[in-house]
């Protein structure tokens, strides 16, 4: 436990010293929120059909919280872990009883903390800058955030375990990131997307995190189907990551 | 487990170790034992299988066949306990680029309960002024010294050093040698992988010469030279063409003249006999020098070529 604590602390510091992941986790989602706020911020058209009947920013604020998770899961974690493997850091740690499990666990904890921080930043900006009303049901929102965060972190651990090089992780990660950014519920208003775009969007984990968060936020209750999808991703990714790591070590 | 001989002074036993990568046999039927408190060397050229051997012992690679016991533990089975009791400096590994020197030492020390001696290691290995420098900003030699310090931070019973002094300047190398001797004096067993003859000669109690995956010879440096490099060499300057025939002396094996230098190889008392003969002919060289056989010669005898770094 002492070692895991120390390792988590070190990994936290390393995260803070890494400008690129800092940018993807904290700055980029916030930046998009402000861009979308600039474009759609004045629109409050309840009932007009756009944004599933929500005001634009009530729609986008949960979406960009989900983008923080996406960034942590598909860009930050895989890049970091594959870099460790490629450069022999994992081997060096392993030789000194810092097993790959501990490193993955520490990374999971750091990711959860940074995701929470990034999410809170979006929430604050949404509420104070764009006057989005606070969640109807804070408990559901926190729960939705936690489940989604854990799913994306598991996905990140899996990608980090499977992808062979940091170059591969960068390629795959950025493609996934931008596909989810555009089609996964944080891009154009759903009503402005073609049928095909929406179908593809529905295949992205992010779209389901977005819907789960939005529904909880708007007081539409707990969306069991979206929760099931998120929990499924969590279980499958975590199991697969465990199997891959066990086979390789 | 039934052992016919329970000799606790042996901290490492390797029996018929083999490791192949697809169709390449990197380690081929290697056996040796290492006693507690010994500095045991593995000397050989690039690709000889040294790293593969020691990484199998550390449980970082799985051997293809053979038996390994380190501190009475099988690396394939008791890896957790083994790792707590050994120290490793690996040939190719790195740390996170932005980790600071003190953070790395502190992190690795945290694995051992109650361990807080890393500041002394930082001082011993001349890293104090770099305590707050990030790993990626260190020079090659500084990184290497950090890795040695990390290998020692858990007070290991056995420490594996793979190319420890690569990248160190001469002062740092000699400093490292002194520190290794000190570690051994405190009872730690040291496994030293190297391709530096002088390092092996200076540090190792016993030495395994490996080439192409095979263990060719195993003895003390002195034992190796007296067995495989029996010819002593003598040389002196002489320009004239009335040199008496040295080949008449039975102990002389070979005479070569390169420019103004005469080189004579032989055994036993040949130097004295040769010098007497020269003086009798009125030739009194004032730069007669002899060279003891070295590990370099051992290697040449055993493999037919010089070690190439
Ligand atoms: N992971 C691997 N996969 C395939 N071949 C390998 C692997 N590791 C080592 N080899 C091969 O095994 C042989 C022995 O390699 P090893 O690294 O053990 O040599 P070494 O004695 O440590 O050499 P050096 O002095 O260069 O460090 C080499 O021919 C090398 O190419
Ligand atoms: Mg090597």
């Amino acid at each position: 436990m002492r070692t895991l604590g120390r390792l988590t602390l070190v990994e936290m510091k390393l995260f803070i010293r890494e400008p690129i992941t800092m940018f993807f986790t904290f700055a980029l989602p916030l930046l998009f929120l402000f861009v979308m706020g600039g474009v759609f911020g004045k629109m409050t058209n309840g009932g007009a059909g756009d944004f599933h009947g929500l005001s634009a920013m009530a729609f986008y604020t949960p979406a960009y919280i989900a983008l923080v998770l996406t960034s942590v899961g598909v860009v930050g974690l895989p890049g970091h872990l594959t870099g460790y493997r490629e450069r022999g850091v994992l081997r060096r740690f392993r030789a000194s009883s810092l097993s790959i499990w501990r490193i993955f666990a520490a990374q999971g904890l750091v990711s959860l903390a940074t995701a929470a921080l990034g999410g809170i930043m979006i929430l604050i900006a949404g509420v104070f800058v764009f006057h989005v009303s606070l969640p109807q049901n804070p408990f559901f929102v926190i729960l939705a955030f936690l489940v989604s965060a854990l799913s994306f972190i598991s996905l990140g651990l899996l990608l980090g375990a499977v992808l062979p090089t940091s170059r591969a992780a960068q390629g795959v990660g950025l493609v996934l990131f931008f596909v989810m950014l555009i089609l996964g519920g944080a891009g154009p208003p759903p009503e402005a997307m073609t049928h095909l775009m929406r179908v593809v969007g529905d295949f992205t984990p992010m779209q389901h995190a977005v819907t789960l968060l939005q529904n909880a936020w708007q007081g539409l209750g707990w969306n069991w189907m979206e929760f099931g999808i998120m929990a499924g991703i969590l279980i499958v990714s975590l199991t697969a990551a465990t199997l891959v790591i066990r086979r390789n070590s | 487990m039934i052992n016919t001989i329970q000799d606790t002074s042996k901290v490492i036993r390797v029996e018929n170790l083999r490791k192949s990568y697809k169709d390449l046999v990197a380690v081929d039927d290697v056996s040796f034992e290492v006693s507690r408190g010994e500095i045991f060397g593995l000397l050989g050229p690039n690709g000889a299988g040294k790293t593969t051997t020691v990484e199998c012992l550390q449980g970082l690679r799985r051997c293809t066949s053979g038996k390994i016991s380190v501190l009475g533990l099988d690396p394939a089975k008791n890896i957790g306990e083994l790792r707590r009791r050994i120290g490793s400096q690996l040939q190719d590994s790195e740390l996170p680029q932005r980790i600071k020197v003190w953070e790395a030492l502190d992190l690795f020390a945290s694995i051992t309960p109650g361990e807080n001696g890393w500041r002394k290691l930082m001082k011993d290995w001349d890293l104090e002024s770099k305590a707050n420098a990030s790993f990626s900003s260190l020079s090659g030699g500084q990184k290497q010294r950090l890795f040695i310090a990390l290998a020692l931070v858990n007070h290991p019973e056995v420490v594996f050093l793979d190319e420890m002094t690569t990248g160190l300047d001469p002062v740092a190398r000699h400093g490292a040698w002194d520190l290794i001797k000190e570690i051994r004096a405190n009872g730690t067993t040291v496994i030293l992988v190297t391709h530096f003859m002088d390092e092996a000669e200076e540090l190792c109690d016993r030495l395994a010469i490996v080439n192409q995956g095979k263990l060719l010879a195993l003895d003390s440096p002195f034992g190796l030279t007296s067995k495989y490099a029996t010819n002593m060499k003598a040389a002196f300057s002489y320009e004239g063409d009335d040199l008496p025939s040295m080949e008449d002396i039975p102990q002389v094996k070979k005479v070569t003249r390169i420019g103004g230098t005469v080189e004579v190889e032989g055994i036993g008392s040949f130097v004295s006999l040769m010098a007497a003969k020269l003086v009798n002919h009125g030739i009194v060289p004032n730069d007669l020098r002899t060279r003891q056989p070295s590990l370099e010669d051992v290697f040449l005898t055993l493999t037919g070529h010089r070690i190439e770094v």
Side-chain angles (χ1 to χ4, degrees):
Chain A
M1 268 327 275
R2 187 170 91 112
T3 308
L4 182 60
R6 199 68 60 95
L7 185 60
T8 308
L9 189 68
V10 169
E11 288 288 356
M12 188 57 122
K13 291 191 206 169
L14 293 176
F15 180 91
I16 294 166
R17 290 176 198 155
E18 189 64 63
I20 292 180
T21 36
M22 284 284 279
F23 176 77
F24 269 93
T25 313
F26 297 125
L28 204 59
L30 212 52
L31 197 71
F32 280 123
L33 183 77
F34 278 90
V35 170
M36 288 305 190
V39 178
F40 299 109
K42 304 277 170 340
M43 296 169 63
T44 51
N45 63 343
D50 276 357
F51 302 116
H52 300 314
L54 302 173
S55 83
M57 295 321 280
F59 176 88
Y60 280 123
T61 302
Y64 286 113
I65 291 179
L67 188 70
V68 171
L69 303 182
T70 303
S71 155
V72 167
V74 303
V75 182
L77 266 176
H80 191 75
L81 293 171
T82 49
Y84 269 17
R85 189 169 47 239
E86 196 168 58
R87 296 176 55 247
V89 176
L90 288 182
R91 266 163 62 75
R92 183 62 198 85
F93 277 9
R94 185 154 63 98
S96 292
S97 310
L98 286 167
S99 64
I100 187 164
W101 305 106
R102 274 180 172 164
I103 294 160
F104 274 53
Q107 272 302 311
L109 291 171
V110 169
S111 302
L112 193 58
T114 50
L117 188 62
I120 290 169
M121 282 166 61
I122 298 284
L123 179 132
I124 290 173
V127 170
F128 288 97
V129 180
F130 299 109
H131 314 294
V132 174
S133 49
L134 277 167
Q136 300 277 333
N137 191 332
F139 173 73
F140 278 172
V141 171
I142 291 170
L143 200 63
F145 178 82
L146 273 180
V147 175
S148 309
L150 292 176
S151 306
F152 274 96
I153 289 168
S154 308
L155 193 63
L157 296 177
L158 176 62
L159 290 173
V162 174
L163 294 173
T165 61
S166 56
R167 191 173 280 251
Q170 240 168 36
V172 172
L174 287 180
V175 167
L176 289 176
F177 180 81
F178 283 108
V179 167
M180 292 206 240
L181 168 67
I182 296 163
L183 302 178
E191 286 77 6
M193 296 207 283
T194 63
H195 176 69
L196 181 67
M197 284 164 84
R198 261 180 287 172
V199 170
V200 176
D202 272 339
F203 275 100
T204 64
M206 179 163 147
Q207 177 65 71
H208 301 283
V210 170
T211 311
L212 186 64
L213 279 163
Q214 281 172 341
N215 286 1
W217 199 300
Q218 298 308 324
L220 298 177
W222 188 245
N223 190 327
W224 283 104
M225 194 187 80
E226 302 294 9
F227 168 75
I229 293 172
M230 281 286 112
I233 293 172
L234 169 64
I235 292 165
V236 170
S237 312
L238 211 54
T239 313
T242 309
L243 292 176
V244 172
I245 293 170
R246 189 169 294 166
R247 197 193 60 202
N248 292 346
S249 59
Chain B
M1 193 172 78
I2 300 161
N3 261 357
T4 41
I5 322 155
Q6 263 293 359
D7 184 355
T8 50
S9 73
K10 295 278 180 262
V11 288
I12 293 177
R13 292 164 180 281
V14 177
E15 279 174 46
N16 310 106
L17 177 66
R18 275 176 72 88
K19 170 76 185 178
S20 13
Y21 301 106
K22 300 199 178 93
D23 49 1
L24 175 94
V25 182
V27 178
D28 192 358
D29 200 26
V30 164
S31 305
F32 59 87
E33 289 183 342
V34 181
S35 305
R36 191 170 288 279
E38 209 176 7
I39 301 184
F40 183 89
L42 284 160
L43 179 72
N46 291 148
K50 308 180 294 292
T51 297
T52 304
T53 304
V54 292
E55 293 202 351
C56 287
L57 297 188
Q58 294 167 83
L60 290 167
R61 301 185 196 199
R62 189 70 56 93
C63 65
T64 309
S65 67
K67 271 211 287 204
I68 301 174
S69 153
V70 179
L71 295 165
L73 303 167
D74 179 348
K77 292 191 191 110
N78 311 92
I79 193 62
E81 188 187 345
L82 184 65
R83 290 214 169 112
R84 283 191 289 279
R85 293 172 63 188
I86 64 173
S88 308
Q89 176 253 311
L90 308 178
Q91 188 178 7
D92 314 296
S93 70
E94 283 194 58
L95 291 176
Q97 278 165 342
R98 289 171 209 267
I99 198 168
K100 292 182 179 167
V101 167
W102 77 266
E103 287 170 346
L105 283 160
D106 183 51
L107 174 64
F108 281 61
S110 75
I111 297 155
T112 315
E115 163 53 41
N116 43 24
W118 59 264
R119 281 169 211 283
K120 181 179 181 312
L121 276 172
M122 194 159 76
K123 196 171 169 218
D124 283 352
W125 292 93
D126 203 15
L127 291 162
E128 263 178 328
S129 62
K130 290 285 164 189
N132 276 307
S134 64
F135 177 76
S136 60
S137 75
L138 299 179
S139 75
Q142 289 162 347
K143 284 181 184 168
Q144 194 71 356
R145 294 205 302 271
L146 175 58
F147 280 127
I148 304 173
L150 290 175
L152 299 170
V153 81
N154 59 333
H155 305 292
E157 291 167 63
V158 183
V159 61
F160 294 88
L161 302 170
D162 194 347
E163 312 280 5
M164 161 186 77
T165 58
T166 300
L168 298 193
D169 63 40
V171 176
R173 266 184 97 207
H174 287 91
W177 292 355
D178 290 340
L179 287 162
I180 294 306
K181 287 179 200 164
E182 198 179 304
I183 291 158
R184 187 266 295 278
N186 296 333
T188 305
T189 309
V190 180
I191 311 297
L192 187 77
V193 170
T194 186
H195 49 234
F196 293 118
M197 302 287 175
D198 53 348
E199 185 164 298
E201 197 137 21
E202 168 82 17
L203 288 178
C204 297
D205 299 308
R206 283 189 316 133
L207 195 55
I209 309 262
V210 285
N211 191 32
Q212 296 180 349
K214 291 205 170 60
L215 197 156
L216 302 180
L218 200 174
D219 207 332
S220 65
F222 178 76
L224 286 169
T225 41
S226 38
K227 197 156 164 194
Y228 297 103
T230 38
N231 285 5
M232 238 186 4
K233 283 179 186 160
F236 56 92
S237 307
Y238 188 67
E239 298 281 357
D241 45 15
D242 53 344
L243 193 71
S245 161
M246 304 291 183
E247 280 91 345
D248 296 351
I249 305 169
Q251 287 91 333
V252 167
K253 299 290 171 204
K254 196 172 155 199
V255 181
T256 31
R257 290 191 74 166
I258 308 156
T261 305
V262 184
E263 260 189 31
V264 186
E265 270 184 50
I267 51 168
S269 51
F270 91 95
V271 180
S272 313
L273 294 168
M274 178 185 83
K277 190 161 189 179
L278 287 172
V279 172
N280 277 343
H281 280 73
I283 301 167
V284 188
N286 54 13
D287 65 345
L288 176 63
R289 52 206 182 270
T290 60
R291 191 167 71 77
Q292 293 300 319
S294 70
L295 288 174
E296 196 100 33
D297 305 309
V298 172
F299 200 81
L300 193 62
T301 312
L302 285 169
T303 66
H305 56 83
R306 298 200 165 269
I307 196 164
E308 273 169 52
V309 181

